[in-house]
Amino acid sequence: MSRLKSKLAIEGGTPVRQTMLPYGRQLVDETDIQAVAEVLRSDWLTTGPVVSEFEHEFTKLTGANEAVAFSNGTASLHAAMYAIGVDVADEIIVPAITFVATANCIVYQGGIPVFADVHPDTLLLDPVCVEAKITSHTKAIIAMDYAGHPCDYDTLRVIADRHGLILIADACHSLGANYRSRVVGSLADLNVFSFHPVKAVTTGEGGMVTTDDEDMAARMRIFRNHGITNDHRERELQGSFRYEMVDLGYNYRITDIQCVLGLSQLKKLPSFISRRRAIAAKYDAALANNKAVSVLGVHEDVLHAYHLYVVKLQHHQLRVSRLEIFEALRAENIGVNVHYMPLYMHPYHKQFVDNDANEICPVAEEAFDSILSLPIFPSMTNEDVTHVIEALNKVLNWFAS
Ligand SMILES: *Cc1c(COP(=O)(O)O)cnc(C)c1O
């Protein structure tokens, strides 16, 4: 690299690329658009046949007996908490590093999120830390498949069974992943997905819960429809006006417009995941000998879905903090991101931890200071990948200690 080219964009040099590369984005093509247009011309825009079709495809994909679709992933998590009967003061164990919704769904139902530390190698919920947090009030564990790497469900299942707990997977990152040759969506008692545009497949907004438990599925269908026992289309078919509200629910329904997009996107899930894995392999190869970063561990018994590609900065090799590296990469037009701040560091979630304990989840806190998510999404070109690697090398060399 010439001296001119190596000067950081943040210090007035030329950026590695001219336009901002986001960390994630959807891939919607003409067949998706056609499919949506057809539903717009049909009789049913919501609670119609395409919702059931999308749910059916999800049972086929995951091998679960039941799939219930919702307006978004957060509503799906809320419904899961309702289905398992979370009550006031029930404790649910969640990883310290996750999206806020993983814990918020517990609070919606009056429960208390209990934060357990993650494993330094994968940033996945550490089973040893989970067991240490179990009390007589613990009702369930929500594992989160961080970055698209499935958690160790066999070990978590043993712990859950030993203590009579329900095991839930927040699988919002891991649609399309495998664990010991088993498909994500059938690994926990309830498995939750999101179809936000940055996720593996999108419906704009949308979510799903898969389960083998028919009673819980029935409860979730009522919950997403105000607590009413039948929906508009069922009443039409029965020629009836009568409905009964049996419990307090919400309007968490998804539309047929969204579900048809989901159906069209699902067909492309295998190609989306293989592209994500190919990009990850390029990053792995390029970063293997870079002492300034380490990549997260991947267990041999999983197929990783690579919702995120996360690197950890090696601070002893660098003379600046993560913030300077982050800002320098942004100036190079590389849309790096940080997933996530330990939840209890948010002003709202502080109430759920003991203020006197200065390090509640030390591994999560240490990781938070060094993690960076690099751009990864199926429509990224090889040139985009090269830009990320070039910018990372440029910035890390500049700030080498
Ligand atoms: C995206 C996401 C959610 C929430 O999904 P929405 O569809 O945005 O409501 C929950 N948990 C995790 C880990 C997520 O990444």
Side-chain angles (χ1 to χ4, degrees), residues 71-75 77 98-99 101-102 144 170 172-173 193-196 198-199 205-207 307 340:
S71 49
N72 56 67
T74 305
L77 281 164
T98 184
F99 183 55
T102 314
M144 197 281 268
D170 180 339
C172 290
H173 290 188
F193 299 95
S194 163
F195 311 123
H196 179 277
V198 296
K199 304 293 164 69
E205 296 276 2
H307 166 58
Y340 300 90

Side-chain angles (χ1 to χ4, degrees), residues 123-348:
L123 305 188
L124 295 170
L125 192 55
D126 187 334
V128 175
C129 302
V130 169
E131 198 137 33
K133 296 278 173 142
I134 294 173
T135 72
S136 58
H137 298 289
T138 309
K139 184 168 185 83
I141 303 164
I142 308 181
M144 197 281 268
D145 299 336
Y146 182 72
H149 187 309
C151 294
D152 184 358
Y153 284 99
D154 285 348
T155 303
L156 291 170
R157 174 64 72 194
V158 169
I159 295 170
D161 286 351
R162 189 186 301 145
H163 299 274
L165 309 177
I166 299 160
L167 181 58
I168 293 162
D170 180 339
C172 290
H173 290 188
S174 59
L175 179 61
N178 290 346
Y179 167 77
R180 299 188 175 163
S181 306
R182 278 135 58 199
V183 183
V184 166
S186 61
L187 300 170
D189 297 316
L190 293 160
N191 311 272
V192 181
F193 299 95
S194 163
F195 311 123
H196 179 277
V198 296
K199 304 293 164 69
V201 299
T202 190
T203 60
E205 296 276 2
M208 188 80 77
V209 182
T210 58
T211 182
D212 283 341
D213 189 309
E214 284 170 25
D215 292 338
M216 286 207 257
R219 280 168 61 74
M220 290 191 289
R221 288 181 205 282
I222 291 170
F223 185 72
R224 76 170 167 190
N225 189 36
H226 307 279
I228 293 171
T229 51
N230 59 12
D231 70 24
H232 181 70
R233 191 159 58 107
E234 286 164 345
R235 289 196 292 280
E236 283 285 307
L237 290 170
Q238 291 157 5
S240 166
F241 66 86
R242 193 178 158 78
Y243 59 83
E244 284 182 332
M245 183 186 144
V246 293
D247 204 354
L248 183 64
Y250 293 78
N251 180 352
Y252 277 166
R253 296 184 306 248
I254 189 168
T255 66
D256 288 53
I257 307 163
Q258 291 164 304
C259 288
V260 79
L261 177 56
L263 277 169
S264 182
Q265 288 261 304
L266 264 193
K267 293 188 187 129
K268 289 167 278 199
L269 177 64
S271 66
F272 286 176
I273 298 297
S274 61
R275 180 61 188 153
R276 285 178 180 275
R277 292 174 55 79
I279 295 165
K282 285 178 195 291
Y283 283 151
D284 283 345
L287 302 176
N289 296 316
N290 195 326
K291 288 196 178 60
V293 287
S294 66
V295 302
L296 294 187
V298 180
H299 294 168
E300 275 179 2
D301 55 3
V302 306
L303 189 134
H304 198 312
Y306 283 108
H307 166 58
L308 302 173
Y309 189 94
V310 178
V311 297
K312 271 191 194 171
L313 300 175
Q314 299 298 300
H315 290 297
H316 56 281
Q317 303 279 349
L318 296 161
R319 56 188 168 81
V320 294
S321 73
R322 197 260 315 277
L323 181 63
E324 280 91 345
I325 307 272
F326 173 90
E327 287 174 344
L329 284 165
R330 283 288 178 111
E332 303 295 338
N333 284 322
I334 305 300
V336 285
N337 216 315
V338 175
H339 301 93
Y340 300 90
M341 181 161 81
L343 287 194
Y344 56 81
M345 292 170 77
H346 288 283
Y348 179 79

